[in-house]
Amino acid sequence: MPSNQEPEAPHSVLPYPPIHDTAPFVVLSDWDGTITDKDSNDWLTDNLGFGFDKRRALNLECLEGKMSFRDSFRQMLGSIHHPFDYCKEELKKNIKLDPGFVNFHTWCKSQNIPFIIVSSGMAPNIRGVLSTLLPGPDTENIDIIANEVNFTDPGKKGDTWEIVYRHPESGFGHDKSQAILPYRDLEHKPTLFFCGDGVSDLSAAKHADLLFAKVLPNGHSDLKTFCEREKIPHVAFTDFNKVLEKVKEVVEGGKSVQQVLKEEGN
């Protein structure tokens, strides 16, 4: 394959929401550990599955290239022997939102800026947490591009279940770049903002105009570390108040993306 040719897009077994083809600005964001205070799937595995030690061992195998994220994630979720609704209720009790997210999302709505969640998790869990923590009647209207769940018990009640990957042939299970690339083909070329926290977000983040890398309170950020090593321009943030400040500078203040990045030390 020629080096300047895009690799063939993985086949999606799940539908995509319509793209916002007239919006001048679009925000896309990872969910777990970016919008939320902790990774919900890690929480499920650590507390209801085979626990932290085995999960971390699988994480390391992924980082070392010995196993795909898709296969390791399936093992983690397969260790959880609780009904799906029970898992969802536990997440609703234990997962919180980033302290600046509600303000940021409210501002995006006021500016008619589409906000899209792009996640390797399962859409029903994301919707469950959002409906609990995000005020307002339009939570259901947020676009979520994620994986799904299949109930495998005879009654289809969710007593047993498995993840349905959006891109089952991809080693990611969900290749997030496919959520953002259609915007690159639009004639008017909207300004794309992307927020993430991990290296798995790079497949989408590298196509953004302005990339935000979430940093944990302890200073850790896989995405920020990767960006610094690969010299990828980005803005580090600890909560969405910083994202709001910088996006406002572009949308309302007339600053260019390049100017914002330069002021942030890029």
Side-chain angles (χ1 to χ4, degrees):
M1 179 182 293
S3 59
N4 62 348
Q5 183 176 343
E6 286 285 346
E8 185 177 350
H11 171 67
S12 177
V13 300
L14 300 170
Y16 279 89
I19 64 172
H20 302 273
D21 55 5
T22 61
F25 305 97
V26 179
V27 178
L28 304 99
S29 179
D30 172 55
W31 169 252
D32 283 300
T34 302
I35 295 174
T36 63
D37 64 341
K38 59 179 75 74
D39 188 300
S40 58
N41 302 297
D42 287 353
W43 189 93
L44 285 175
T45 305
D46 293 354
N47 293 276
L48 302 180
F50 51 42
F52 170 83
D53 289 342
K54 190 164 183 181
R55 173 181 68 79
R56 188 57 184 158
L58 286 177
N59 290 157
L60 293 174
E61 287 199 41
C62 287
L63 290 171
E64 294 167 2
K66 297 177 180 177
M67 177 181 286
S68 70
F69 173 82
R70 175 196 60 199
D71 295 342
S72 67
F73 194 38
R74 193 187 298 279
Q75 280 193 38
M76 293 176 195
L77 297 180
S79 74
I80 302 166
H81 303 297
H82 294 272
F84 188 79
D85 280 348
Y86 174 82
C87 295
K88 184 165 67 173
E89 291 304 312
E90 288 300 297
L91 290 178
K92 288 162 69 173
K93 295 175 190 174
N94 289 280
I95 303 297
K96 305 302 179 187
L97 296 179
D98 173 286
F101 176 72
V102 172
N103 284 340
F104 179 72
H105 179 256
T106 300
W107 178 82
C108 286
K109 285 196 303 178
S110 75
Q111 301 294 314
N112 294 315
I113 296 174
F115 182 88
I116 304 160
I117 294 172
V118 185
S119 172
S120 294
M122 292 170 284
N125 283 338
I126 298 170
R127 292 258 180 230
V129 174
L130 272 176
S131 66
T132 302
L133 298 177
L134 188 63
D138 59 348
T139 300
E140 288 296 317
N141 295 327
I142 295 178
D143 289 339
I144 296 176
I145 303 175
N147 296 310
E148 270 294 343
V149 63
N150 176 45
F151 294 164
T152 54
D153 53 304
K156 295 292 181 180
K157 296 179 180 179
D159 293 336
T160 58
W161 51 275
E162 64 184 4
I163 190 170
V164 176
Y165 282 119
R166 178 170 289 273
H167 301 123
E169 297 171 3
S170 166
F172 293 108
H174 175 195
D175 182 344
K176 295 182 181 182
S177 70
Q178 301 306 307
I180 196 170
L181 282 171
Y183 288 96
R184 283 290 169 230
D185 296 330
L186 294 176
E187 185 176 349
H188 75 279
K189 298 289 186 280
T191 300
L192 300 175
F193 304 96
F194 188 90
C195 307
D197 74 319
V199 176
S200 66
D201 294 316
L202 251 293
S203 64
K206 67 182 180 180
H207 299 292
D209 295 298
L210 187 52
L211 170 61
F212 293 91
K214 182 74 173 280
V215 179
L216 295 175
N218 63 7
H220 179 75
S221 171
D222 284 343
L223 181 56
K224 182 174 182 291
T225 300
F226 186 89
C227 288
E228 289 173 344
R229 187 175 73 221
E230 301 297 322
K231 295 182 169 42
I232 298 171
H234 65 283
V235 174
F237 74 104
T238 55
D239 64 54
F240 269 85
N241 290 311
K242 175 70 172 285
V243 179
L244 176 57
E245 174 191 342
K246 295 303 170 185
V247 173
K248 269 187 173 182
E249 289 179 359
V250 175
V251 175
E252 297 181 344
K255 284 187 180 180
S256 68
V257 166
Q258 290 72 23
Q259 189 175 353
V260 171
L261 288 169
K262 184 177 180 180
E263 291 173 355
E264 288 294 310
N266 293 274

